[in-house]
Amino acid sequence: FGLRGWQLVVGSRRLINGSFVREMALNQFLLGVGISISAVIWTFIHLYFTPFISKAYFPEYYKSIVDGTKGAGSYESREKGMKKLVEWNTRVPGFLHGVASSTVSLYCVFFDEALKSDKLRGTSTAWMVAVWISAGFFVWDLAICLTNFKHFGFEFVLHATFCLATYIVCGFVQECPLAYYASCFLLFELSTPVLHIRWALINFKMKSSYISIATYLFALVFFSVRIVFGNFIAFPEVWKILVNRPSDMPIWQAAIFWVNSITSACLNTYWMISIIQTGLKKRKPKNEKKD
């Protein structure tokens, strides 16, 4: 082909001359801006919105949490209070992200024809919105986990790191983004709002029957979306693609997907085991009676 007549075919898209470069640059610019704005919004919700609604709707309870981080108490009691405050202030962003990301990912997986028709290379506006929401959230989440490492631990740092890497790579890679499968992974967040609702019921000392319903519902949703759908359906499909790596997928991208998917599957299994063990421990005193 001559310089004016060459054509580049990527997937099902035919892009002529420099239009591909311009489109790619524009998409990456918009993604970068969107992710940055999203991270700022999640930070604002954490630092300002959550304390505001806490003081407005739960003034006494929130004051007791804040007071627990001050005063003449022991170092251990202040640290315990700080952990409770950090946990409280991060619940609202976590809940809102769970709702927002689940809603967008449900649309992407079940209704977005651009992704469904080309699971390897398809992209869409809805997918870009999903990357904005979740990549920005995991930027904030990783910062929170690192600055409060002693409260969250290694597994949550690992989770935030690999989630952020997944949506950064899937968002910015043009040739083979696997956007459909990345949207499938976002469906894991369906269990998050239920988790936060359960936590609120426990902390506000609601009826035990409500807490039990929320507990069983959380375990059911977690098992359904993360173990059944994730570990036994979505991840094996991705592993099959990676074993037969498409020619337009760079080795480094395949390596990231291998590491991320295996780590996520292990975390899902680890957390499921922890949920089961916690449930068994709570039931044990009721079932065992001393002679």
Side-chain angles (χ1 to χ4, degrees):
F1 297 103
L3 289 177
R4 301 181 109 189
W6 66 267
Q7 295 179 327
L8 181 64
V9 179
V10 178
S12 59
R13 297 171 299 176
R14 184 174 292 271
L15 302 163
I16 304 176
N17 295 329
S19 62
F20 174 64
V21 177
R22 289 194 296 271
E23 180 185 335
M24 183 172 65
L26 177 61
N27 286 342
Q28 292 181 341
F29 173 76
L30 291 175
L31 276 172
V33 171
I35 291 170
S36 301
I37 293 174
S38 174
V40 170
I41 291 173
W42 292 118
T43 304
F44 175 83
I45 292 173
H46 169 227
L47 295 178
Y48 299 102
F49 181 70
T50 300
F52 173 77
I53 63 171
S54 299
K55 293 173 184 177
Y57 294 99
F58 315 103
E60 294 183 5
Y61 186 81
Y62 190 68
K63 184 177 183 299
S64 69
I65 296 177
V66 175
D67 290 344
T69 66
K70 306 174 183 177
S74 64
Y75 174 79
E76 289 76 13
S77 65
R78 290 196 300 272
E79 279 297 301
K80 186 177 180 180
M82 182 58 68
K83 180 179 180 180
K84 195 171 184 180
L85 180 62
V86 170
E87 188 177 27
W88 174 275
N89 285 338
T90 55
R91 290 285 172 173
V92 172
F95 176 83
L96 293 177
H97 174 258
V99 173
S101 61
S102 298
T103 302
V104 178
S105 61
L106 280 169
Y107 174 81
C108 288
V109 172
F110 295 106
F111 302 103
D112 195 330
E113 293 301 327
L115 300 189
K116 291 171 62 180
S117 62
D118 190 349
K119 294 181 179 180
L120 296 183
R121 300 171 182 84
T123 59
S124 67
T125 301
W127 162 243
M128 183 178 287
V129 171
V131 174
W132 286 344
I133 293 172
S134 291
F137 174 82
F138 287 116
V139 168
W140 166 84
D141 189 37
L142 180 59
I144 291 297
C145 291
L146 289 174
T147 55
N148 298 275
F149 183 81
K150 58 186 174 182
H151 300 316
F152 290 102
F154 178 71
E155 67 267 26
F156 284 99
V157 172
L158 198 65
H159 175 262
T161 300
F162 283 118
C163 287
L164 176 59
T166 297
Y167 295 104
I168 289 292
V169 170
C170 292
F172 282 95
V173 167
Q174 298 292 316
E175 289 80 6
C176 199
L178 295 179
Y180 175 84
Y181 293 104
S183 299
C184 289
F185 301 158
L186 261 186
L187 288 178
F188 296 168
E189 293 299 318
L190 281 168
S191 63
T192 302
V194 188
L195 172 66
H196 294 308
I197 291 172
R198 175 183 176 275
W199 178 88
L201 293 175
I202 292 173
N203 278 265
F204 289 118
K205 296 178 171 58
M206 303 297 287
K207 291 182 179 180
S208 59
S209 59
Y210 295 163
I211 297 174
S212 296
I213 292 172
T215 299
Y216 289 124
L217 182 59
F218 167 67
L220 177 62
V221 175
F222 190 99
F223 178 75
S224 299
V225 297
R226 290 181 179 264
I227 303 300
V228 176
F229 178 72
N231 288 10
F232 291 102
I233 299 176
F235 286 141
E237 283 195 27
V238 171
W239 294 334
K240 190 182 299 183
I241 293 169
L242 296 177
V243 168
N244 303 286
R245 182 173 60 88
S247 59
D248 57 347
M249 178 185 289
I251 295 177
W252 63 264
Q253 182 187 353
I256 290 175
F257 270 96
W258 272 119
V259 174
N260 285 10
S261 58
I262 292 173
T263 303
S264 296
C266 290
L267 282 174
N268 287 346
T269 304
Y270 169 75
W271 284 330
M272 189 72 245
I273 292 172
S274 298
I275 292 169
I276 294 171
Q277 290 176 336
T278 301
L280 292 176
K281 286 179 182 178
K282 290 184 177 180
R283 290 178 61 87
K284 195 173 182 180
K286 296 180 181 180
N287 296 334
E288 290 185 359
K289 295 183 180 179
K290 291 184 180 180
D291 295 333

